[in-house]
């Protein structure tokens, strides 16, 4: 199929653009000059830029810089992009200019070409009025990150927390052996272990809420280098009010636009909370797959849903695939954190020029954690069940129950009893009674697992 082209012009001259494309010359130059990788600009970021354009047009009209017909046309076109109606018009990869200028212009050009022919809208003069890529793009990363965290990740985390609460209630009476260093320790309630998972997700939730207070500070109005050239204080105030209305989220101005353009510490801070969530998710998933190991040659303390065949050669094998998916996501998030930390350190003078890779990795972490936690909650946690008989069996044969004797016979005597039981392959009770230090009545009174879990 032959592609038809039209001629577009910019400050560098003429260039051929596919006739069906809504973008213009600057987008096409980037499309041709940066054929690097397949990672496109995240649509959440594109939609955030469009929301800023919509807010900017409204603000510029309010302060008398933009005519009503142009402002209305720009707002309508930008709103359509925010709704996802033109997602195929943003072809640029993240491996482009480090300021995101070409993607900012991609949005400007598409908006201009979506406006009616009767209204002369220029991508730079009108759509980009009172703006620079240098303040729009970092603001868009913050806006996109805020919206995805609030609308996708936090609700998922709430659902996981609720499910874990239910599991705690269901498993309060299940006593199992605790483990430290992967070795037997004193008993715990299964509900207590679950409460640790739940508390980890809750802590991450609160850390993300704290991080959002940093993420909601935007350098809009700083324009090219932070001085606000070609913008005004009235515009800055109006654009933030409009953007907050459009997104239904309260955004405020970064008190220092020079910081907002060149320093990316807010992304590092919030992604630290995402990395913390990844760590908590990794811990929970690893605990579950350890306890579900078996079914006959592992711990076998719990069962998890059998969602699909686990082997192409071993019939009947079932694997903890949801745990594996979640832990792989956690690994990716931790890798993203390294990229974000380094990229954020690379601000020079008035601008950081690692913005596309910062935005890409930041948004990917949020998306992956959101979707992985949904899958894990629905396909693993909801169907998790305790094997109480197996838990009781492992508690009964544990040598660490000897800890309950410490206050009666002392640590050293307890150690001798435990070592004797292990060496002679007898029960702890048999070894304790054989030692002459404990009677069978005393053992029954002092060594009670249920009394060891709620001190």
């Amino acid at each position: 199929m032959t592609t038809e082209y039209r001629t577009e012009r910019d400050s560098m001259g003429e260039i051929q653009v596919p006739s069906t494309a809504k973008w213009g010359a600057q987008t096409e130059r980037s499309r041709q000059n940066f054929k690097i990788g397949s990672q496109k600009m995240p649509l959440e970021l594109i939609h955030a830029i469009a929301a800023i354009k919509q807010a900017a047009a409204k603000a510029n009209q309010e302060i008398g810089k933009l005519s009503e017909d142009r402002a209305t046309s720009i707002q309508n076109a930008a709103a359509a992009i925010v709704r996802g109606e033109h997602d195929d018009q943003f072809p640029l990869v993240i491996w482009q200019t480090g300021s995101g200028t070409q993607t900012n212009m991609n949005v400007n050009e598409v908006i201009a070409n979506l406006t009616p022919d009767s209204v002369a809208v220029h991508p730079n003069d009108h759509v980009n009025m009172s703006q620079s890529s240098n303040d729009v793009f970092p603001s868009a990363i913050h806006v996109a990150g805020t919206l995805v965290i609030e609308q996708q990740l936090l609700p998922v985390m709430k659902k996981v927390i609720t499910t874990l609460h239910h599991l705690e209630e269901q498993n309060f009476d299940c006593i199992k052996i605790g483990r430290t260093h992967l070795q037997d320790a004193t008993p715990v309630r299964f509900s207590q272990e679950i409460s640790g998972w739940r508390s980890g997700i809750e802590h991450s939730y609160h850390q993300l809420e704290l991080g959002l207070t940093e993420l909601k500070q935007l350098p809009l109005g700083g324009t090219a280098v932070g001085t606000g050239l070609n913008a005004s204080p009235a515009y800055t105030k109006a654009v933030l009010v409009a953007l907050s209305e459009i997104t239904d989220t309260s955004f405020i101005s970064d008190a220092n636009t020079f910081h907002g353009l060149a320093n990316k510490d807010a992304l590092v801070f919030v992604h630290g909370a995402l990395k913390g969530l990844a760590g908590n998710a990794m811990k929970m998933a690893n605990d579950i797959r350890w306890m579900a190991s078996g079914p006959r040659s592992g711990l076998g303390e719990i069962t998890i849903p059998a969602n699909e065949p686990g082997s192409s050669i071993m019939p009947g094998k079932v694997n903890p695939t949801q745990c594996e998916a979640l832990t792989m996501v956690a690994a990716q998030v931790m890798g993203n954190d390294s990229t974000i930390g380094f990229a954020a350190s690379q601000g020079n003078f008035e601008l950081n020029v690692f913005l596309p890779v910062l935005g890409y990795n930041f948004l990917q972490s949020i998306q992956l954690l959101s979707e992985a936690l949904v899958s894990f909650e629905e396909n693993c946690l909801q169907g998790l069940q305790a094997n109480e008989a197996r838990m009781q069996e492992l508690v009964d044969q544990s040598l660490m129950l000897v800890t309950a004797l410490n206050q009666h016979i002392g640590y050293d005597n307890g150690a001798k009893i435990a070592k004797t039981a292990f060496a002679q392959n007898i029960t702890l009770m048999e070894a304790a009674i054989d030692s002459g230090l404990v009677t069978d009545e005393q053992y029954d009174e002092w060594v009670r697992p249920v009394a060891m879990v709620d001190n």
Side-chain angles (χ1 to χ4, degrees):
M1 182 177 179
T2 303
T3 301
E4 297 183 358
Y5 293 88
R6 69 178 189 274
T7 300
E8 288 279 348
R9 296 170 182 82
D10 62 9
S11 60
M12 296 186 69
E14 295 184 347
I15 189 170
Q16 297 297 108
V17 176
S19 59
T20 58
K22 297 296 184 182
W23 64 78
Q26 292 194 52
T27 303
E28 186 62 24
R29 292 188 194 283
S30 179
R31 195 169 78 99
Q32 293 184 16
N33 291 337
F34 296 96
K35 297 178 180 179
I36 305 172
S38 59
Q39 297 87 359
K40 300 295 178 64
M41 279 290 173
L43 289 173
E44 295 87 354
L45 187 53
I46 296 295
H47 297 164
I49 296 174
I52 290 172
K53 302 298 175 181
Q54 183 181 353
K58 186 173 188 294
N60 281 317
Q61 180 189 352
E62 289 177 358
I63 64 174
K65 288 186 67 175
L66 191 63
S67 65
E68 182 179 356
D69 57 347
R70 284 184 174 131
T72 299
S73 297
I74 291 170
Q75 288 181 77
N76 290 340
I81 294 172
V82 172
R83 292 192 298 268
E85 295 177 11
H86 302 283
D87 287 349
D88 60 341
Q89 295 301 311
F90 304 97
L92 303 186
V93 296
I94 64 169
W95 317 108
Q96 52 162 278
T97 177
S99 62
T101 297
Q102 290 145 6
T103 287
N104 180 51
M105 284 307 305
N106 185 184
V107 178
N108 288 338
E109 289 176 341
V110 172
I111 289 174
N113 283 325
L114 288 174
T115 58
D117 292 338
S118 58
V119 182
V121 172
H122 190 278
N124 296 82
D125 295 340
H126 304 126
V127 184
N128 204 59
M129 180 181 285
S130 302
Q131 306 153 62
S132 164
S133 301
N134 296 354
D135 66 340
V136 168
F137 201 87
S139 295
I141 297 174
H142 281 216
V143 171
T146 296
L147 296 180
V148 180
I149 288 172
E150 289 187 336
Q151 296 172 9
Q152 296 182 28
L153 183 56
L154 293 182
V156 170
M157 293 171 70
K158 278 187 176 180
K159 191 172 183 182
V160 171
I161 290 166
T162 298
T163 298
L164 291 172
H165 264 301
H166 291 158
L167 284 172
E168 286 177 66
E169 294 170 357
Q170 294 167 12
N171 293 284
F172 179 80
D173 293 327
C174 296
I175 308 297
K176 66 183 294 293
I177 200 64
R179 297 181 180 88
T180 58
H181 306 271
L182 293 180
Q183 304 296 305
D184 298 350
T186 56
V188 296
R189 293 186 186 277
F190 186 31
S191 61
Q192 291 171 327
E193 275 190 338
I194 297 169
S195 77
W197 306 338
R198 186 251 309 155
S199 184
I201 305 300
E202 288 175 337
H203 275 78
S204 292
Y205 189 99
H206 296 315
Q207 289 158 11
L208 284 167
E209 284 187 315
L210 180 62
L212 286 174
T213 63
E214 294 291 325
L215 210 56
K216 290 181 179 181
Q217 299 177 43
L218 309 181
L220 283 178
T223 66
V225 296
T227 61
L229 181 66
N230 292 340
S232 69
Y235 162 80
T236 300
K237 181 178 180 180
V239 73
L240 287 167
V241 170
L243 182 62
S244 297
E245 291 174 352
I246 291 166
T247 60
D248 195 27
T249 299
S250 180
F251 291 100
I252 63 174
S253 181
D254 191 318
N256 188 304
T257 51
F258 301 99
H259 162 268
L261 299 188
N263 299 76
K264 302 296 113 191
D265 48 316
L267 296 180
V268 174
F269 183 65
V270 179
H271 200 274
L274 294 172
K275 183 172 71 170
L277 173 59
N280 288 332
M282 175 83 81
K283 196 273 182 186
M284 174 173 60
N286 278 338
D287 283 357
I288 288 172
R289 62 175 166 182
W290 269 104
M291 285 191 287
S293 61
R296 293 186 174 179
S297 299
L299 298 181
E301 292 180 322
I302 62 173
T303 58
I304 54 178
N307 296 316
E308 63 277 314
S311 173
S312 62
I313 188 173
M314 293 175 281
K317 195 172 192 299
V318 177
N319 295 330
T321 52
Q322 290 295 321
C323 296
E324 292 164 5
L326 184 56
T327 53
M328 284 192 289
V329 163
Q332 181 65 49
V333 171
M334 292 175 188
N336 287 350
D337 194 73
S338 295
T339 299
I340 286 171
F342 179 79
S345 73
Q346 298 303 298
N348 298 122
F349 301 110
E350 277 64 64
L351 188 65
N352 180 296
V353 290
F354 283 67
L355 295 175
V357 75
L358 278 163
Y360 179 81
N361 282 274
F362 189 75
L363 292 170
Q364 185 193 61
S365 290
I366 303 169
Q367 178 190 29
L368 288 176
L369 284 168
S370 299
E371 295 178 359
L373 286 170
V374 166
S375 183
F376 190 76
E377 191 275 334
E378 292 179 352
N379 300 308
C380 183
L381 287 181
Q382 286 189 23
L384 186 153
Q385 293 185 339
N387 183 345
E388 295 186 52
R390 177 60 173 164
M391 288 181 177
Q392 185 63 54
E393 176 188 358
L394 293 176
V395 168
D396 290 343
Q397 69 184 33
S398 173
L399 300 178
M400 289 304 102
L401 297 180
V402 75
T403 307
L405 297 176
N406 283 2
Q407 59 186 324
H408 303 287
I409 64 174
Y411 181 95
D412 290 340
N413 286 328
K416 291 177 183 177
I417 289 172
K419 290 179 179 180
T420 297
F422 182 71
Q424 296 182 11
N425 195 27
I426 60 177
T427 67
L428 186 67
M429 182 176 186
E430 289 171 329
I433 295 171
D434 289 348
S435 73
L437 297 169
V438 181
T439 66
D440 54 354
E441 292 84 3
Q442 289 173 325
Y443 187 92
D444 288 339
E445 179 184 354
W446 295 340
V447 184
R448 294 187 304 116
V450 70
M452 301 171 69
V453 298
D454 294 319
N455 293 334

